[in-house]
Amino acid sequence: MVWGAIALSDVKQRSPELATPIHNFSLQLSPTPRGARLARLLAVEQLRSWGLPLDPAKQVIAELSANAVTHGRVPGRDFRLLLYVVADTLRIEVTDTRHDRLPALSDSGRGLLLIEALTDRWGVTPGLPPRKTVWAELDLAPEPKNLHFGGAGGLPEGPQR
């Protein structure tokens, strides 16, 4: 029926839930320095393709991936990187297979201090043993007019003050 197709199209255009962009990206990588490096490089390319700012997300991804490789490594078990964007929030999740080693802010390292400083929220979610997920969220500011995100950057058009 023609009216059904028109009604469905109308609902899609007017529904705020469907108008909100949702992106996701997931990788499973070896728990090695190379795996952590690949996580950062591939995630940066994904953020760039979505037109999102690279900083501070790439630092957060690098730190969480390095932590998974350093502190969450179990030989033969991969770690997973998941990025997703809902509305104005980028969520970064890194899942490893060391549920017995929970991250904590301490004087022994600066990694989580960086995560604390760079993100709007972060935490740890236990998974099915032996997994845990360390997550961080970044609130994405509205895109400034005339700036290019995800690339080498740009200068605003017009006179500078």
Side-chain angles (χ1 to χ4, degrees):
M1 300 173 102
V2 174
W3 65 269
I6 293 171
L8 180 58
S9 173
D10 192 40
V11 168
K12 285 182 181 178
Q13 290 177 356
R14 293 184 187 184
S15 174
E17 298 83 16
L18 296 175
T20 302
I22 299 174
H23 301 290
N24 67 55
F25 176 73
S26 179
L27 291 172
Q28 188 167 327
L29 299 152
S30 64
T32 62
R34 183 173 188 250
R37 181 175 178 269
L38 277 172
R40 180 183 52 82
L41 292 172
L42 295 171
V44 162
E45 287 307 311
Q46 188 62 54
L47 293 172
R48 186 175 282 125
S49 76
W50 290 340
L52 296 178
L54 301 180
D55 292 315
K58 71 179 179 183
Q59 286 88 1
V60 173
I61 292 163
E63 191 59 45
L64 292 181
S65 297
N67 284 350
V69 167
T70 304
H71 305 292
R73 183 177 192 275
V74 174
R77 295 184 184 166
D78 294 340
F79 76 95
R80 177 170 296 280
L81 169 68
L82 173 65
L83 306 177
Y84 59 93
V85 179
V86 176
D88 294 331
T89 301
L90 168 63
R91 185 171 172 114
I92 302 161
E93 295 184 359
V94 175
T95 302
D96 65 43
T97 54
R98 287 294 304 263
H99 71 285
D100 58 325
R101 296 191 71 184
L102 296 177
L105 290 173
S106 68
D107 296 333
S108 64
R110 61 179 175 82
L112 289 177
L113 293 174
L114 279 171
I115 299 300
E116 177 78 18
L118 294 174
T119 65
D120 295 295
R121 292 163 296 285
W122 75 275
V124 181
T125 304
L128 292 173
R131 293 171 193 82
K132 73 169 175 302
T133 299
V134 182
W135 57 269
E137 291 183 342
L138 297 168
D139 294 334
L140 303 171
E143 188 172 322
K145 189 175 180 179
N146 298 324
L147 287 182
H148 302 283
F149 283 103
L155 296 174
E157 295 176 7
Q160 302 295 309
R161 295 184 182 169

